[in-house]
Amino acid sequence: MGIFRITTAKLAETQRCVPQFSAFLRQLTEGSTDLKAILAAKIPKEQERVKAFRKAHGATKVGDVTVDMMYGGMRGIKGMVWEPSVLDPDEGIRFRGLSIPECQQQLPKAPGGTEPIPEGLFWLLITGDVPTQAQANAISKEWSERAELPPHVVNLLNSLPTNVHPMTQFSAAITVLNSESKFAKAYASGVHKSKYWEYVYEDSMDLIAKLPVIAATIYRNTYKEGSGIGAIDCSKDWSFNFSQMLGFDNPEFIELMRLYLTIHSDHEGGNVSAHTTHLVGSALSDPYLSFAAGMNGLAGPLHGLANQEVLLWLIKLREQVGDKYTEAQLKDFIWKTLKSGQVVPGYGHAVLRKTDPRYSCQREFALKRLPEDPLFKLVSDVYKVVPPILTELGKVKNPWPNVDAHSGVLLQYYGLKEMNYYTVLFGVSRALGVLAALVWDRALGLPIERPKSLSTDGLMASLKYK
Ligand code: CMX
């Protein structure tokens, strides 16, 4: 199959010369593996579409804000636009319209693999199109080529004591990596705002490429006495290289990583890590600073750190009840957790109202590969017992498990036992969604974010409340 390559410069030249060129352009870019050129073709069309929509509906109301929403974490307020994914409360996440099973079916795989490779998912998130195998492979190659870390980032990581939490190390390394920001340099040199997206794209591709190297360095420094991470193989995919750098070469673990890094990528725009990245980016902080801010949010126990919390909780539970437990013992432990004023980690969600399909697909993975694993059995039994108890509590809006309830047990099975590290894996994946969104934020020229706040006195006065 012939593959067209169209460069961004060539595209700009074509745009100047041919006024009615969209059909021609589509033909030209359909088989191209040049993601930036494809975006350069899509962005003007999307800008026009949004402009026309805003002209027609700019003043149309899409919702109301109640006092409870203001005091209640802004739950349910429709207040931002987010392109890569949408979360349905009952059905779960759809990446550009595709459910997780559809992604597993339709996205390109690694040779001999059954799970989608995250490169294909990234292509889908940023363009809205399911990529060809050649397009996904081109991203694998590009990320391999962009993966090298500058020495000061390696030095910083090597200088941190092992008692610094892996998420803190991750955030610090991403922050100092902003020395390499092409966006920050272009902004300082006065680049026109119509070009912002191009530099955000370049930084995003560099950052995504380097994240596994940062993450693997943290893992080996913290848990493997600083033993080296080895070299990247440019003929292999992102997850393969990440697994190798971590020190895992079991093909099943690598497949798990492909699935893991795909499903944790995006969960629409309002969650803490996504919204923070978007918010900080709206101040035109570069993608490194914006994403590091998002990672500081992911490190909270009610968000991404919950996967660490789940494992700690399961281990405590197992220590108490052993492997031959009764349902009554499980119930007793869960009630004790609740009565001591703690949450059951891995359960509940701000938007979802059913079992998270990210939980379900990890369960499917486990049922195929580790059905007899005692920790998996415990997770399955907890799944039977927790929802009725949370329902009985009366106040929990979603008693069902979320993604974090399952990820740790799989990692434990394959020997990645250090649970304090788990949120770093989540963070590597989350880059795919939030950085795809950041490129579109700048492409659509979204302004600095600045919602209005009120004081309680001001709010009461505005409602004539005494
Ligand atoms: N265990 C115990 N209580 C829970 C609970 C749980 N798993 N989930 C919600 N509740 C409680 C809340 O703490 C709240 O109690 P108060 O009114 O006393 O403050 C009440 O139920 C209502 O909360 P909600 O509207 O159902 O849930 P929120 O939208 O406020 O919070 C979430 C959502 C995820 C923070 C919450 O369900 C939770 O704390 N779950 C456990 C932590 C967790 O698994 N987080 C990971 C989420 C996925 C991710 O981001 O990675």
Side-chain angles (χ1 to χ4, degrees):
M1 185 181 67
I3 292 170
F4 286 106
R5 285 197 72 85
I6 178 169
T7 63
T8 315
K10 185 83 196 150
L11 186 76
E13 191 190 311
T14 315
Q15 272 170 319
R16 273 197 303 277
C17 302
V18 188
Q20 292 297 325
F21 74 115
S22 56
F24 163 72
L25 204 55
R26 196 167 49 248
Q27 205 186 355
L28 204 59
T29 55
E30 243 165 30
S32 170
T33 55
D34 186 337
L35 178 56
K36 191 173 180 185
I38 287 174
L39 284 173
K42 280 182 178 280
I43 283 169
K45 285 193 231 158
E46 190 59 12
Q47 286 169 334
E48 281 311 309
R49 199 169 75 100
V50 171
K51 197 169 150 195
F53 175 56
R54 289 185 64 177
K55 200 167 165 210
H57 276 290
T60 306
K61 259 174 87 168
V62 289
D64 294 307
V65 178
T66 65
V67 171
D68 270 348
M69 285 168 161
M70 292 175 73
Y71 284 99
M74 299 194 279
R75 217 64 91 247
I77 296 179
K78 291 177 190 142
M80 67 192 290
V81 173
W82 189 264
E83 307 295 354
S85 68
V86 176
L87 179 58
D88 181 272
D90 293 320
E91 199 192 40
I93 195 67
R94 277 188 180 265
F95 302 118
R96 292 281 189 170
L98 295 190
S99 66
I100 288 178
E102 286 164 350
C103 285
Q104 285 175 298
Q105 205 185 13
Q106 294 180 31
L107 290 177
K109 322 272 185 301
T114 53
E115 299 299 343
I117 54 171
E119 292 88 323
L121 192 265
F122 178 71
W123 188 290
L124 173 70
L125 293 177
I126 199 164
T127 65
D129 302 328
V130 172
T132 62
Q133 188 73 47
Q135 288 170 329
N137 292 350
I139 299 294
S140 300
K141 185 163 177 290
E142 193 167 348
W143 287 352
S144 295
E145 288 163 0
R146 290 175 185 248
E148 198 178 338
L149 294 183
H152 71 277
V153 176
V154 180
N155 292 341
L156 169 84
L157 288 172
N158 291 347
S159 73
L160 293 173
T162 54
N163 67 350
V164 175
H165 193 281
M167 277 305 279
T168 312
Q169 299 189 42
F170 193 53
S171 160
I174 296 163
T175 300
V176 299
L177 197 54
N178 98 315
S179 56
E180 310 308 295
S181 173
K182 292 167 183 157
F183 175 79
K185 285 188 191 81
Y187 187 85
S189 70
V191 70
H192 191 274
K193 60 184 180 183
S194 62
K195 297 222 171 282
Y196 286 171
W197 78 263
E198 293 188 28
Y199 296 96
V200 170
Y201 172 86
E202 289 297 333
D203 280 356
S204 299
M205 292 293 274
D206 283 343
L207 177 52
I208 293 169
K210 292 175 198 312
L211 285 175
V213 189
I214 294 176
T217 305
I218 293 169
Y219 182 71
R220 301 212 62 88
N221 278 351
T222 310
Y223 306 111
K224 307 287 170 193
E225 279 123 28
S227 48
I229 57 167
I232 296 243
D233 180 345
C234 287
S235 69
K236 294 286 206 264
D237 62 285
W238 193 59
S239 313
F240 176 95
N241 276 312
F242 187 18
S243 306
Q244 295 283 314
M245 287 188 286
L246 287 168
F248 292 81
D249 52 15
N250 179 343
E252 279 192 15
F253 177 85
I254 299 169
E255 273 298 274
L256 172 65
M257 275 297 104
R258 291 178 183 126
L259 177 67
Y260 185 105
L261 296 170
T262 294
I263 63 173
H264 286 78
S265 59
D266 207 37
H267 219 222
E268 75 172 33
N271 66 78
V272 170
S273 54
H275 188 195
T276 306
T277 306
H278 166 84
L279 169 68
V280 175
S282 83
L284 299 185
S285 302
D286 64 60
Y288 298 91
L289 297 181
S290 307
F291 182 63
M295 289 302 95
N296 289 339
L298 193 73
L302 295 188
H303 190 18
L305 203 78
N307 59 12
Q308 165 187 320
E309 300 295 287
V310 166
L311 243 290
L312 288 169
W313 185 83
L314 285 173
I315 284 170
K316 249 192 252 166
L317 169 58
R318 202 170 171 198
E319 272 166 16
Q320 230 174 77
V321 301
D323 285 337
K324 290 203 171 94
Y325 44 80
T326 62
E327 195 175 290
Q329 281 176 300
L330 295 185
K331 283 183 177 167
D332 184 51
F333 186 84
I334 294 157
W335 275 114
K336 271 193 193 132
T337 303
L338 294 170
K339 283 181 184 153
S340 64
Q342 292 160 37
V343 294
V344 177
Y347 281 76
H349 201 273
V351 178
L352 273 169
R353 294 295 175 256
K354 292 271 167 66
T355 295
D356 190 338
R358 300 172 301 173
Y359 175 94
S360 306
C361 75
Q362 293 183 93
R363 182 171 161 76
E364 291 297 316
F365 190 100
L367 281 169
K368 269 189 227 146
R369 293 171 172 95
L370 44 135
E372 299 307 322
D373 179 61
L375 202 56
F376 170 58
K377 284 193 162 164
L378 183 60
V379 167
S380 302
D381 289 334
V382 164
Y383 183 26
K384 289 179 204 145
V385 176
V386 170
I389 293 182
L390 289 182
T391 304
E392 193 182 327
L393 208 59
K395 61 180 180 176
V396 181
K397 296 199 187 63
N398 176 36
W400 302 104
N402 60 58
V403 66
D404 298 315
H406 215 303
S407 48
V409 63
L410 295 170
L411 297 168
Q412 289 282 314
Y413 178 78
Y414 290 109
L416 207 165
K417 304 250 178 208
E418 300 85 357
M419 52 208 93
N420 281 15
Y421 184 75
Y422 291 172
T423 312
V424 174
L425 297 177
F426 194 157
V428 171
S429 171
R430 188 42 60 101
L432 304 179
V434 302
L435 293 174
L438 202 62
V439 172
W440 277 102
D441 288 351
R442 298 292 76 77
L444 295 177
L446 303 188
I448 188 163
E449 215 166 71
R450 192 12 177 132
K452 179 81 185 94
S453 63
L454 298 176
S455 65
T456 291
D457 283 346
L459 182 57
M460 286 176 171
S462 74
L463 298 176
K464 303 193 178 6
Y465 177 84
K466 287 191 186 123

